Amino acid sequence: MNADALRGHMDALLLSVLEHEPLHGYAIIEALQERSGGALNVPTGTVYPALRRLEQAGYLASEWATVGGRRRRTYRLTSSGRTALVGERSAWREFAGVIGSVLEPPPAR
């Protein structure tokens, strides 16, 4: 998938994969790949700065945990993050609807 197509949607994607359980950075990248059927291969250099930014905004909280014998920073949604995710989903539906109305051919008359 074109990296430019993801611009502006990374926050929503990250919040979404953290909606149901806390995950460490690499597991977040794997979840993005799995949930997209392999279409999203987001580099760590994109994911980790976004996670730090979302944490600074109060949407995520993190803590160190031992996962598979390794110490990793694990991220989870905060209540503000859940609210932000609701807003991101609403904005996505509106955006997709507008773009779809332009890209889809009008009905035949």
Side-chain angles (χ1 to χ4, degrees):
M1 172 150 297
N2 182 333
D4 286 336
L6 294 178
R7 199 172 321 249
H9 303 292
M10 185 55 60
D11 290 0
L13 294 169
L14 294 173
L15 294 173
S16 182
V17 298
L18 291 166
E19 181 177 23
H20 299 296
E21 65 179 327
L23 296 170
H24 59 83
Y26 185 70
I28 292 169
I29 292 169
E30 287 180 324
L32 288 169
Q33 283 185 309
E34 182 179 316
R35 287 174 63 172
S36 69
L40 295 178
N41 188 12
V42 185
T44 58
T46 298
V47 171
Y48 286 105
L51 290 170
R52 283 191 290 277
R53 185 173 36 71
L54 290 169
E55 187 173 21
Q56 289 173 346
Y59 297 155
L60 300 178
S62 69
E63 59 187 21
W64 288 101
T66 302
V67 179
R70 296 183 65 188
R71 225 168 100 79
R72 298 180 184 256
R73 184 166 292 281
T74 302
Y75 298 87
R76 66 173 174 77
L77 277 184
T78 63
S79 59
S80 294
R82 290 186 189 284
T83 301
L85 179 56
V86 168
E88 291 284 353
R89 285 183 171 145
S90 176
W92 169 253
R93 283 190 286 278
E94 181 179 346
F95 175 79
V98 169
I99 298 301
S101 69
V102 174
L103 294 179
E104 293 296 322
R109 292 183 188 218

